[in-house]
Amino acid sequence: MFSFFRCKLKMVITMPNIHSTISFGLVNIPVLCNPVVRNNDISFNQLHKKCGYRIMYQKYCPHCHVILKENEIIKGYEYEKGEYLEFNKKELNDLKPENEEVMEIISFINLKEIEPSYFEKSYYLSTEKKSKAYNLFVSALEKSKLVALCKTVLHNKFYYGVIRCYENALILTTLYFEEEINLKETPEPKKVDTKELDLALKLIESLKGHFEPQKYKDEYQNELKKAIDAKLDGKKIKTKKKSNKKQVTDLMKALEKSLKK
């Protein structure tokens, strides 16, 4: 039984293929769209502390004092406190964007022009069969050193996104809209102490490296897995001692100590 739970712990839920088409001028390139990122977090259920049973969530109307079924629920927009505009499923479906299965390219741009805060979620774009148009598009993007700005609909939501090359394949990254980004105004540059700047640059140089994602592990999730295994074996969870780092208020001293380490 314990081995079953350990296997379950390592299972990863994958999203099904989304069929779409890259619309490039008069050329249509059929693609399969799959999320690049998979959620690796361990999920917990809420239990009743007294008996250990999993609790239930019920949709309850406090006005009628009844538990509701799904077909008894509609959506409403609160335009004033306690006042709602009601929408049924047909009305909302009629408002959905068209071309749900098309990635319409509207421009080719330099990726460096996009502030990274705008990047939302990435999808791997592949083909079911060998596609001359797909391979040509990949080669043309690589040669141009540009990315394709497109608009599309994924999971009933409208997006702008960029299509870029990745190891002879394509990646779609959806973008947040400008009104969703909360970037504050850039502050005026201030004068800094030359000696402090020199020490800061030396510290940066000493920590210089390369991006190696295979080295970066989710420490918290790994500790959770160890704790689950320990509990399944009837063992106590080992508590980790937290290090107490002393804060150095003097900036020069802090930089000098950092360099010595």
Side-chain angles (χ1 to χ4, degrees), residues 90-103:
K90 186 183 182 306
E91 287 173 327
L92 292 173
N93 284 333
D94 289 343
L95 293 170
K96 285 181 181 177
E98 295 179 3
N99 298 328
E100 189 168 346
E101 296 179 355
V102 175
M103 298 174 190

mmCIF file with all atom_site columns, all heavy atoms in Angstrom, residues 90-103:
data_model
loop_
_atom_site.group_PDB
_atom_site.id
_atom_site.type_symbol
_atom_site.label_atom_id
_atom_site.label_alt_id
_atom_site.label_comp_id
_atom_site.label_asym_id
_atom_site.label_entity_id
_atom_site.label_seq_id
_atom_site.pdbx_PDB_ins_code
_atom_site.Cartn_x
_atom_site.Cartn_y
_atom_site.Cartn_z
_atom_site.occupancy
_atom_site.B_iso_or_equiv
_atom_site.pdbx_formal_charge
_atom_site.auth_seq_id
_atom_site.auth_comp_id
_atom_site.auth_asym_id
_atom_site.auth_atom_id
_atom_site.pdbx_PDB_model_num
ATOM 1   N N   . LYS A 1 90  ? -25.431 30.961 -22.972 1.00 0.00 ? 90  LYS A N   1
ATOM 2   C CA  . LYS A 1 90  ? -25.516 31.321 -24.388 1.00 0.00 ? 90  LYS A CA  1
ATOM 3   C C   . LYS A 1 90  ? -24.977 32.723 -24.627 1.00 0.00 ? 90  LYS A C   1
ATOM 4   O O   . LYS A 1 90  ? -24.227 32.962 -25.583 1.00 0.00 ? 90  LYS A O   1
ATOM 5   C CB  . LYS A 1 90  ? -26.960 31.210 -24.879 1.00 0.00 ? 90  LYS A CB  1
ATOM 6   C CG  . LYS A 1 90  ? -27.089 31.445 -26.393 1.00 0.00 ? 90  LYS A CG  1
ATOM 7   C CD  . LYS A 1 90  ? -28.520 31.407 -26.852 1.00 0.00 ? 90  LYS A CD  1
ATOM 8   C CE  . LYS A 1 90  ? -28.620 31.582 -28.362 1.00 0.00 ? 90  LYS A CE  1
ATOM 9   N NZ  . LYS A 1 90  ? -27.943 32.786 -28.877 1.00 0.00 ? 90  LYS A NZ  1
ATOM 10  N N   . GLU A 1 91  ? -25.356 33.663 -23.767 1.00 0.00 ? 91  GLU A N   1
ATOM 11  C CA  . GLU A 1 91  ? -24.889 35.041 -23.912 1.00 0.00 ? 91  GLU A CA  1
ATOM 12  C C   . GLU A 1 91  ? -23.370 35.125 -23.824 1.00 0.00 ? 91  GLU A C   1
ATOM 13  O O   . GLU A 1 91  ? -22.726 35.838 -24.601 1.00 0.00 ? 91  GLU A O   1
ATOM 14  C CB  . GLU A 1 91  ? -25.519 35.919 -22.829 1.00 0.00 ? 91  GLU A CB  1
ATOM 15  C CG  . GLU A 1 91  ? -26.998 36.204 -23.049 1.00 0.00 ? 91  GLU A CG  1
ATOM 16  C CD  . GLU A 1 91  ? -27.641 36.923 -21.886 1.00 0.00 ? 91  GLU A CD  1
ATOM 17  O OE1 . GLU A 1 91  ? -27.232 36.672 -20.729 1.00 0.00 ? 91  GLU A OE1 1
ATOM 18  O OE2 . GLU A 1 91  ? -28.556 37.737 -22.125 1.00 0.00 ? 91  GLU A OE2 1
ATOM 19  N N   . LEU A 1 92  ? -22.789 34.379 -22.887 1.00 0.00 ? 92  LEU A N   1
ATOM 20  C CA  . LEU A 1 92  ? -21.330 34.389 -22.728 1.00 0.00 ? 92  LEU A CA  1
ATOM 21  C C   . LEU A 1 92  ? -20.640 33.683 -23.883 1.00 0.00 ? 92  LEU A C   1
ATOM 22  O O   . LEU A 1 92  ? -19.585 34.119 -24.353 1.00 0.00 ? 92  LEU A O   1
ATOM 23  C CB  . LEU A 1 92  ? -20.947 33.741 -21.391 1.00 0.00 ? 92  LEU A CB  1
ATOM 24  C CG  . LEU A 1 92  ? -21.347 34.534 -20.140 1.00 0.00 ? 92  LEU A CG  1
ATOM 25  C CD1 . LEU A 1 92  ? -21.080 33.719 -18.883 1.00 0.00 ? 92  LEU A CD1 1
ATOM 26  C CD2 . LEU A 1 92  ? -20.610 35.863 -20.068 1.00 0.00 ? 92  LEU A CD2 1
ATOM 27  N N   . ASN A 1 93  ? -21.231 32.570 -24.377 1.00 0.00 ? 93  ASN A N   1
ATOM 28  C CA  . ASN A 1 93  ? -20.653 31.838 -25.509 1.00 0.00 ? 93  ASN A CA  1
ATOM 29  C C   . ASN A 1 93  ? -20.644 32.687 -26.774 1.00 0.00 ? 93  ASN A C   1
ATOM 30  O O   . ASN A 1 93  ? -19.709 32.623 -27.575 1.00 0.00 ? 93  ASN A O   1
ATOM 31  C CB  . ASN A 1 93  ? -21.413 30.535 -25.760 1.00 0.00 ? 93  ASN A CB  1
ATOM 32  C CG  . ASN A 1 93  ? -21.057 29.465 -24.749 1.00 0.00 ? 93  ASN A CG  1
ATOM 33  O OD1 . ASN A 1 93  ? -19.960 29.461 -24.192 1.00 0.00 ? 93  ASN A OD1 1
ATOM 34  N ND2 . ASN A 1 93  ? -21.970 28.552 -24.503 1.00 0.00 ? 93  ASN A ND2 1
ATOM 35  N N   . ASP A 1 94  ? -21.696 33.503 -26.963 1.00 0.00 ? 94  ASP A N   1
ATOM 36  C CA  . ASP A 1 94  ? -21.781 34.364 -28.144 1.00 0.00 ? 94  ASP A CA  1
ATOM 37  C C   . ASP A 1 94  ? -20.714 35.455 -28.132 1.00 0.00 ? 94  ASP A C   1
ATOM 38  O O   . ASP A 1 94  ? -20.379 36.018 -29.176 1.00 0.00 ? 94  ASP A O   1
ATOM 39  C CB  . ASP A 1 94  ? -23.173 35.009 -28.226 1.00 0.00 ? 94  ASP A CB  1
ATOM 40  C CG  . ASP A 1 94  ? -24.255 34.000 -28.596 1.00 0.00 ? 94  ASP A CG  1
ATOM 41  O OD1 . ASP A 1 94  ? -23.902 32.913 -29.096 1.00 0.00 ? 94  ASP A OD1 1
ATOM 42  O OD2 . ASP A 1 94  ? -25.448 34.290 -28.360 1.00 0.00 ? 94  ASP A OD2 1
ATOM 43  N N   . LEU A 1 95  ? -20.197 35.772 -26.960 1.00 0.00 ? 95  LEU A N   1
ATOM 44  C CA  . LEU A 1 95  ? -19.175 36.826 -26.836 1.00 0.00 ? 95  LEU A CA  1
ATOM 45  C C   . LEU A 1 95  ? -17.751 36.301 -27.009 1.00 0.00 ? 95  LEU A C   1
ATOM 46  O O   . LEU A 1 95  ? -16.809 37.086 -27.089 1.00 0.00 ? 95  LEU A O   1
ATOM 47  C CB  . LEU A 1 95  ? -19.288 37.502 -25.456 1.00 0.00 ? 95  LEU A CB  1
ATOM 48  C CG  . LEU A 1 95  ? -20.568 38.310 -25.210 1.00 0.00 ? 95  LEU A CG  1
ATOM 49  C CD1 . LEU A 1 95  ? -20.649 38.712 -23.749 1.00 0.00 ? 95  LEU A CD1 1
ATOM 50  C CD2 . LEU A 1 95  ? -20.603 39.547 -26.107 1.00 0.00 ? 95  LEU A CD2 1
ATOM 51  N N   . LYS A 1 96  ? -17.597 34.972 -27.061 1.00 0.00 ? 96  LYS A N   1
ATOM 52  C CA  . LYS A 1 96  ? -16.254 34.389 -27.173 1.00 0.00 ? 96  LYS A CA  1
ATOM 53  C C   . LYS A 1 96  ? -15.612 34.770 -28.505 1.00 0.00 ? 96  LYS A C   1
ATOM 54  O O   . LYS A 1 96  ? -16.291 34.862 -29.532 1.00 0.00 ? 96  LYS A O   1
ATOM 55  C CB  . LYS A 1 96  ? -16.323 32.866 -27.047 1.00 0.00 ? 96  LYS A CB  1
ATOM 56  C CG  . LYS A 1 96  ? -16.546 32.397 -25.618 1.00 0.00 ? 96  LYS A CG  1
ATOM 57  C CD  . LYS A 1 96  ? -16.573 30.887 -25.551 1.00 0.00 ? 96  LYS A CD  1
ATOM 58  C CE  . LYS A 1 96  ? -16.817 30.406 -24.121 1.00 0.00 ? 96  LYS A CE  1
ATOM 59  N NZ  . LYS A 1 96  ? -16.910 28.943 -24.049 1.00 0.00 ? 96  LYS A NZ  1
ATOM 60  N N   . PRO A 1 97  ? -14.292 34.972 -28.521 1.00 0.00 ? 97  PRO A N   1
ATOM 61  C CA  . PRO A 1 97  ? -13.604 35.331 -29.766 1.00 0.00 ? 97  PRO A CA  1
ATOM 62  C C   . PRO A 1 97  ? -13.681 34.210 -30.794 1.00 0.00 ? 97  PRO A C   1
ATOM 63  O O   . PRO A 1 97  ? -13.784 33.030 -30.453 1.00 0.00 ? 97  PRO A O   1
ATOM 64  C CB  . PRO A 1 97  ? -12.149 35.542 -29.324 1.00 0.00 ? 97  PRO A CB  1
ATOM 65  C CG  . PRO A 1 97  ? -12.198 35.677 -27.846 1.00 0.00 ? 97  PRO A CG  1
ATOM 66  C CD  . PRO A 1 97  ? -13.380 34.895 -27.377 1.00 0.00 ? 97  PRO A CD  1
ATOM 67  N N   . GLU A 1 98  ? -13.636 34.602 -32.066 1.00 0.00 ? 98  GLU A N   1
ATOM 68  C CA  . GLU A 1 98  ? -13.619 33.619 -33.152 1.00 0.00 ? 98  GLU A CA  1
ATOM 69  C C   . GLU A 1 98  ? -12.196 33.098 -33.349 1.00 0.00 ? 98  GLU A C   1
ATOM 70  O O   . GLU A 1 98  ? -11.255 33.517 -32.701 1.00 0.00 ? 98  GLU A O   1
ATOM 71  C CB  . GLU A 1 98  ? -14.127 34.265 -34.448 1.00 0.00 ? 98  GLU A CB  1
ATOM 72  C CG  . GLU A 1 98  ? -15.590 34.692 -34.378 1.00 0.00 ? 98  GLU A CG  1
ATOM 73  C CD  . GLU A 1 98  ? -16.051 35.337 -35.668 1.00 0.00 ? 98  GLU A CD  1
ATOM 74  O OE1 . GLU A 1 98  ? -15.258 35.399 -36.625 1.00 0.00 ? 98  GLU A OE1 1
ATOM 75  O OE2 . GLU A 1 98  ? -17.205 35.795 -35.709 1.00 0.00 ? 98  GLU A OE2 1
ATOM 76  N N   . ASN A 1 99  ? -12.054 32.195 -34.319 1.00 0.00 ? 99  ASN A N   1
ATOM 77  C CA  . ASN A 1 99  ? -10.744 31.622 -34.668 1.00 0.00 ? 99  ASN A CA  1
ATOM 78  C C   . ASN A 1 99  ? -10.026 31.034 -33.461 1.00 0.00 ? 99  ASN A C   1
ATOM 79  O O   . ASN A 1 99  ? -8.854  31.305 -33.211 1.00 0.00 ? 99  ASN A O   1
ATOM 80  C CB  . ASN A 1 99  ? -9.855  32.679 -35.335 1.00 0.00 ? 99  ASN A CB  1
ATOM 81  C CG  . ASN A 1 99  ? -10.463 33.185 -36.632 1.00 0.00 ? 99  ASN A CG  1
ATOM 82  O OD1 . ASN A 1 99  ? -11.142 32.441 -37.340 1.00 0.00 ? 99  ASN A OD1 1
ATOM 83  N ND2 . ASN A 1 99  ? -10.247 34.441 -36.936 1.00 0.00 ? 99  ASN A ND2 1
ATOM 84  N N   . GLU A 1 100 ? -10.751 30.209 -32.706 1.00 0.00 ? 100 GLU A N   1
ATOM 85  C CA  . GLU A 1 100 ? -10.173 29.622 -31.499 1.00 0.00 ? 100 GLU A CA  1
ATOM 86  C C   . GLU A 1 100 ? -8.995  28.713 -31.812 1.00 0.00 ? 100 GLU A C   1
ATOM 87  O O   . GLU A 1 100 ? -8.109  28.539 -30.999 1.00 0.00 ? 100 GLU A O   1
ATOM 88  C CB  . GLU A 1 100 ? -11.258 28.835 -30.749 1.00 0.00 ? 100 GLU A CB  1
ATOM 89  C CG  . GLU A 1 100 ? -10.805 28.386 -29.372 1.00 0.00 ? 100 GLU A CG  1
ATOM 90  C CD  . GLU A 1 100 ? -11.943 27.867 -28.520 1.00 0.00 ? 100 GLU A CD  1
ATOM 91  O OE1 . GLU A 1 100 ? -13.109 28.088 -28.865 1.00 0.00 ? 100 GLU A OE1 1
ATOM 92  O OE2 . GLU A 1 100 ? -11.641 27.244 -27.501 1.00 0.00 ? 100 GLU A OE2 1
ATOM 93  N N   . GLU A 1 101 ? -8.971  28.137 -33.015 1.00 0.00 ? 101 GLU A N   1
ATOM 94  C CA  . GLU A 1 101 ? -7.925  27.173 -33.360 1.00 0.00 ? 101 GLU A CA  1
ATOM 95  C C   . GLU A 1 101 ? -6.905  27.765 -34.327 1.00 0.00 ? 101 GLU A C   1
ATOM 96  O O   . GLU A 1 101 ? -6.265  27.033 -35.084 1.00 0.00 ? 101 GLU A O   1
ATOM 97  C CB  . GLU A 1 101 ? -8.562  25.910 -33.941 1.00 0.00 ? 101 GLU A CB  1
ATOM 98  C CG  . GLU A 1 101 ? -9.453  25.177 -32.935 1.00 0.00 ? 101 GLU A CG  1
ATOM 99  C CD  . GLU A 1 101 ? -10.092 23.934 -33.521 1.00 0.00 ? 101 GLU A CD  1
ATOM 100 O OE1 . GLU A 1 101 ? -9.916  23.695 -34.726 1.00 0.00 ? 101 GLU A OE1 1
ATOM 101 O OE2 . GLU A 1 101 ? -10.763 23.199 -32.770 1.00 0.00 ? 101 GLU A OE2 1
ATOM 102 N N   . VAL A 1 102 ? -6.748  29.086 -34.294 1.00 0.00 ? 102 VAL A N   1
ATOM 103 C CA  . VAL A 1 102 ? -5.804  29.748 -35.203 1.00 0.00 ? 102 VAL A CA  1
ATOM 104 C C   . VAL A 1 102 ? -4.879  30.671 -34.424 1.00 0.00 ? 102 VAL A C   1
ATOM 105 O O   . VAL A 1 102 ? -5.317  31.394 -33.535 1.00 0.00 ? 102 VAL A O   1
ATOM 106 C CB  . VAL A 1 102 ? -6.555  30.566 -36.287 1.00 0.00 ? 102 VAL A CB  1
ATOM 107 C CG1 . VAL A 1 102 ? -5.563  31.355 -37.147 1.00 0.00 ? 102 VAL A CG1 1
ATOM 108 C CG2 . VAL A 1 102 ? -7.390  29.653 -37.169 1.00 0.00 ? 102 VAL A CG2 1
ATOM 109 N N   . MET A 1 103 ? -3.577  30.613 -34.738 1.00 0.00 ? 103 MET A N   1
ATOM 110 C CA  . MET A 1 103 ? -2.596  31.569 -34.222 1.00 0.00 ? 103 MET A CA  1
ATOM 111 C C   . MET A 1 103 ? -2.259  32.502 -35.378 1.00 0.00 ? 103 MET A C   1
ATOM 112 O O   . MET A 1 103 ? -1.436  32.183 -36.232 1.00 0.00 ? 103 MET A O   1
ATOM 113 C CB  . MET A 1 103 ? -1.341  30.847 -33.727 1.00 0.00 ? 103 MET A CB  1
ATOM 114 C CG  . MET A 1 103 ? -1.612  29.901 -32.575 1.00 0.00 ? 103 MET A CG  1
ATOM 115 S SD  . MET A 1 103 ? -0.145  28.944 -32.140 1.00 0.00 ? 103 MET A SD  1
ATOM 116 C CE  . MET A 1 103 ? -0.873  27.754 -31.010 1.00 0.00 ? 103 MET A CE  1
#
